[in-house]
Amino acid sequence: MEALLRFGESIVALIIGLAIGAVILYYAGYSPWEAYYQLFYNAVLDKYGFARSLAEAAPLILTGITFAVGVRAGLFNIGAEGQLYFGALGAAIVAWLAYRMPVLNSPLGTIAAYALGVILASLLALIAAVLKVWRGVHEVVSTIMLNWIAFWIVEFMRIHYLFDPHDATKTIPVPPGARLPILLPDSELSATIIVSVGFALLTYYLLWYTVTGYELRASGLSPKAARYAGMDPNKSIIIAFIVGGVAAGLAGAGEVLGRPPHYAITSGLSNLLNMGFDGITVALIGANHPIGVIFAGILLGVLKSGASYMQIFAGVPLEMVRIIEGIIVIALAVPGTLHMVREYLQRRKKLTQLREQEAGKSHGFEGSGLQPSGAQQQ
């Protein structure tokens, strides 16, 4: 029932966002019907358009998992952006090595690229986890700083070491033998969508069907209660960061291994920018649930893919397209945001009540003029 309620809220939010966008389009002098027809028809009903929508959705599902797992553990992990950059860096390094080690121009190179990308992204996530657990540094502060550190490290490597000798605006491309297979010929859709959906389903199993996932969710709801029950909230924090790092690393490596035409990191990381931050929107729309994240990622992929068709076929300027897209995304994210804020306030209220009860008991005991016995003290 809760899942159906969340789904209904998302549908209502989508209708509201579309309605607001239609009003803006109408008063700006454009036909809302034509604009939305071109958006949804080309991005959903056309097989090549839908393939592009799924290609757009693949990394967003994974970065959405990064944020969603963090929320389940009581964290506000916004480090998917930087971790995605490091995942792409791992794949770019293997691509660079493949031209010197022909054995990597094969599926072995694909596996090595994914492995190195996941390792680098997980190490970056682990830095934020260590700062959180052992030094008390808030994850928002640490992950924002790490995002920028990751950006400039990857850009430095792209410019000075991994550049393509024939085109200095990007890294050396992944050789054909190590690329992910294209699922629909002459489209952008590769096996990255299979990796994304598969990892999301694996995360769902981890969170709801394993002891580790139960402890992670329990620690996120109430660290004190979890600790009282014999769980270790710090362990759950570290696991949440590592799982999120693996997801973002897969997303970044997948964009290099399976996204034509570049198969590389482009100048200024332009083909990777904001995918990590868009994952926050995906997680909010999907109610921070792995299954919800899959559908939310596809929906956002449809919007991103359809936006270009709205511009080309309906004649809507790019700036107006971005405005409409932003309005729809904000409307979709509102229900998830309200739920997250409501849950946070409820936890704060319960914690305050517990503290008041403890303080009241202590005050009443002291005011009675009695002292506890030795057994009570023990």
Side-chain angles (χ1 to χ4, degrees):
M1 291 302 296
E2 182 182 356
L4 288 174
L5 180 62
R6 293 289 184 92
F7 178 75
E9 289 174 346
S10 297
I11 294 298
V12 172
L14 176 61
I15 293 172
I16 292 173
L18 291 172
I20 296 173
V23 171
I24 294 175
L25 283 170
Y26 178 79
Y27 281 102
Y30 304 100
S31 170
W33 303 110
E34 178 66 16
Y36 286 151
Y37 171 79
Q38 296 297 342
L39 189 154
F40 288 107
Y41 176 81
N42 289 286
V44 178
L45 300 180
D46 179 76
K47 66 177 183 179
Y48 290 101
F50 188 61
R52 184 182 177 189
S53 299
L54 292 179
E56 294 281 357
L60 303 183
I61 291 172
L62 289 169
T63 55
I65 290 293
T66 300
F67 184 78
V69 172
V71 171
R72 292 291 176 179
L75 302 168
F76 202 85
N77 178 12
I78 58 175
E81 185 81 1
Q83 292 155 29
L84 179 140
Y85 296 157
F86 263 34
L89 176 63
I93 290 173
V94 172
W96 181 81
L97 290 172
Y99 288 91
R100 292 154 180 79
M101 302 170 61
V103 68
L104 293 176
N105 186 13
S106 66
L108 177 62
T110 308
I111 297 172
Y114 263 128
L116 184 57
V118 164
I119 290 171
L120 292 178
S122 299
L123 289 175
L124 188 68
L126 196 58
I127 294 173
V130 169
L131 290 173
K132 172 74 174 181
V133 171
W134 278 281
R135 301 302 300 173
V137 178
H138 198 283
E139 63 274 9
V140 171
V141 176
S142 61
T143 50
I144 286 176
M145 297 297 100
L146 288 169
N147 285 343
W148 280 109
I149 291 171
F151 177 89
W152 290 112
I153 288 176
V154 175
E155 184 69 349
F156 175 83
M157 293 293 292
R158 183 194 67 80
I159 293 172
H160 295 283
Y161 295 100
L162 304 176
F163 61 89
D164 184 353
H166 305 290
D167 184 0
T169 63
K170 61 184 180 68
T171 60
I172 193 165
V174 177
R179 295 172 184 175
L180 288 171
I182 298 296
L183 301 182
L184 179 65
D186 300 321
S187 76
E188 297 181 24
L189 181 61
S190 70
T192 51
I193 188 64
I194 298 175
V195 174
S196 299
V197 173
F199 189 81
L201 294 176
L202 183 64
T203 304
Y204 169 68
Y205 179 82
L206 170 69
L207 290 177
W208 269 270
Y209 292 96
T210 66
V211 174
T212 300
Y214 176 80
E215 292 179 349
L216 188 149
R217 291 184 292 118
S219 299
L221 290 172
S222 176
K224 287 189 175 182
R227 190 177 288 109
Y228 181 78
M231 304 174 192
D232 186 358
N234 289 338
K235 175 185 173 183
S236 296
I237 289 173
I238 293 173
I239 291 174
F241 269 111
I242 292 176
V243 172
V246 170
L250 289 173
E255 284 300 290
V256 174
L257 290 169
R259 193 67 181 271
H262 301 295
Y263 293 103
I265 302 173
T266 56
S267 178
L269 282 59
S270 57
N271 62 327
L272 304 172
L273 285 177
N274 297 322
M275 288 182 177
F277 295 127
D278 287 341
I280 298 175
T281 304
V282 168
L284 292 174
I285 296 172
N288 297 310
H289 192 289
I291 305 299
V293 166
I294 293 174
F295 291 102
I298 293 174
L299 176 59
L300 201 62
V302 167
L303 292 177
K304 285 183 170 294
S305 174
S308 60
Y309 297 116
M310 187 190 297
Q311 179 187 5
I312 295 170
F313 297 111
V316 181
L318 178 61
E319 296 78 9
M320 184 61 65
V321 170
R322 297 303 181 203
I323 291 172
I324 302 304
E325 182 183 354
I327 289 171
I328 295 172
V329 169
I330 290 173
L332 286 168
V334 165
T337 305
L338 292 178
H339 276 288
M340 192 167 64
V341 171
R342 190 180 301 117
E343 290 174 358
Y344 172 77
L345 293 176
Q346 288 175 349
R347 288 199 297 267
R348 293 286 298 178
K349 183 179 179 180
K350 290 179 181 178
L351 183 60
T352 302
Q353 290 174 346
L354 287 173
R355 288 175 176 172
E356 290 176 350
Q357 290 175 1
E358 293 174 358
K361 289 179 181 179
S362 175
H363 179 72
F365 187 80
E366 293 173 355
S368 65
L370 300 174
Q371 295 296 326
S373 64
Q376 289 173 324
Q377 287 179 342
Q378 185 177 359

